[in-house]
Amino acid sequence: MDEVIDVRFKELLLAKKASDAKSVLMLKEEYFQFIFELKEACSAKLKTGRQYYILSRYEIFQCGDVEKLICKRAKLTEEPIYFVNLDAMYGIIKRAHISTGHGGRDKVVKFLSRYANITRESIELFKSLCIECQKKHATTKGVVVRLILSKDFGSRGQVDLIDMQSMTKAPHKWIMVAGSLS
């Protein structure tokens, strides 16, 4: 089931990337091409304008055998801000979303502040596909309170429902309170 959601998430992000020319989302191939261009720019003696631009904005962070693309840091002691490719994005957002207790967009954005190209839209997209979040919001939708006005005495009554589904130890899921109104 998780793989189906992952595939759907990637399809929707690819559609978003295709529709937006200034998208910060990177395919896996683009991510590694960028790292290759950055290495090439470092070793070039005569640099092009693009190479100067790349060197001023990005750097490669070595994590063991893995090379990661990060934002250029003013000091080496600063915490790196990572770039992520589309293939890794689902897993990163999923871990953050679960770590925040299926938190909302703002909690997940704060949790993922060390990633440069994970956008609010991609987090909202993930939330819209999260089954647990859909179940949580399905119980609260549809509650409508409408007043019933009448002129006759004793011709109307009131029924209130108390939702106990969030109480895991409660023996009943709903409590109904009924009464007559004058």
Side-chain angles (χ1 to χ4, degrees):
M1 185 63 166
D2 199 39
E3 292 137 8
V4 173
I5 296 171
D6 184 13
V7 169
R8 180 73 179 138
F9 178 75
K10 285 178 187 170
E11 287 173 356
L12 293 170
L13 279 181
L14 283 171
K16 172 75 175 147
K17 179 177 174 42
S19 68
D20 186 6
K22 294 185 177 185
S23 177
V24 294
L25 302 173
M26 287 186 218
L27 296 172
K28 194 173 191 177
E29 298 80 30
E30 291 174 327
Y31 180 84
F32 289 113
Q33 178 63 31
F34 217 92
I35 290 176
F36 176 76
E37 283 184 48
L38 191 55
K39 285 181 183 177
E40 208 172 61
C42 288
S43 63
K45 294 187 183 195
L46 294 173
K47 295 176 180 34
T48 64
R50 177 166 169 75
Q51 288 175 329
Y52 278 116
Y53 173 77
I54 289 172
L55 288 170
S56 68
R57 303 273 318 249
Y58 309 101
E59 65 180 271
I60 297 172
F61 188 72
Q62 193 76 32
C63 295
D65 293 342
V66 180
E67 296 173 330
K68 296 190 177 196
L69 185 66
I70 63 171
C71 290
K72 184 82 169 178
R73 299 175 288 176
K75 298 176 187 170
L76 291 176
T77 56
E78 288 179 13
E79 194 71 25
I81 298 176
Y82 299 94
F83 283 90
V84 180
N85 63 57
L86 284 179
D87 291 342
M89 195 173 289
Y90 178 81
I92 291 169
I93 294 174
K94 181 180 178 186
R95 279 192 299 275
H97 184 63
I98 292 171
S99 296
T100 58
H102 290 275
R105 180 197 67 206
D106 295 336
K107 279 186 181 179
V108 177
V109 165
K110 186 175 180 182
F111 194 86
L112 294 174
S113 61
R114 63 182 182 184
Y115 294 98
N117 64 334
I118 296 180
T119 62
R120 290 179 191 271
E121 291 94 16
S122 57
I123 293 169
E124 286 175 358
L125 174 63
F126 179 88
K127 261 194 77 170
S128 72
L129 297 172
C130 178
I131 295 170
E132 289 297 318
C133 291
Q134 288 174 0
K135 286 179 185 176
K136 184 167 66 172
H137 290 294
T139 59
T140 59
K141 287 184 179 176
V143 178
V144 178
V145 177
R146 227 182 305 162
L147 294 176
I148 303 170
L149 302 174
S150 68
K151 295 181 181 176
D152 299 329
F153 180 76
S155 64
R156 57 189 181 116
Q158 178 175 338
V159 176
D160 291 322
L161 292 173
I162 301 171
D163 185 2
M164 300 297 286
Q165 293 181 50
S166 61
M167 307 293 285
T168 56
K169 295 183 181 177
H172 306 288
K173 294 189 186 249
W174 295 90
I175 298 175
M176 182 174 83
V177 181
S180 88
L181 302 170
S182 49

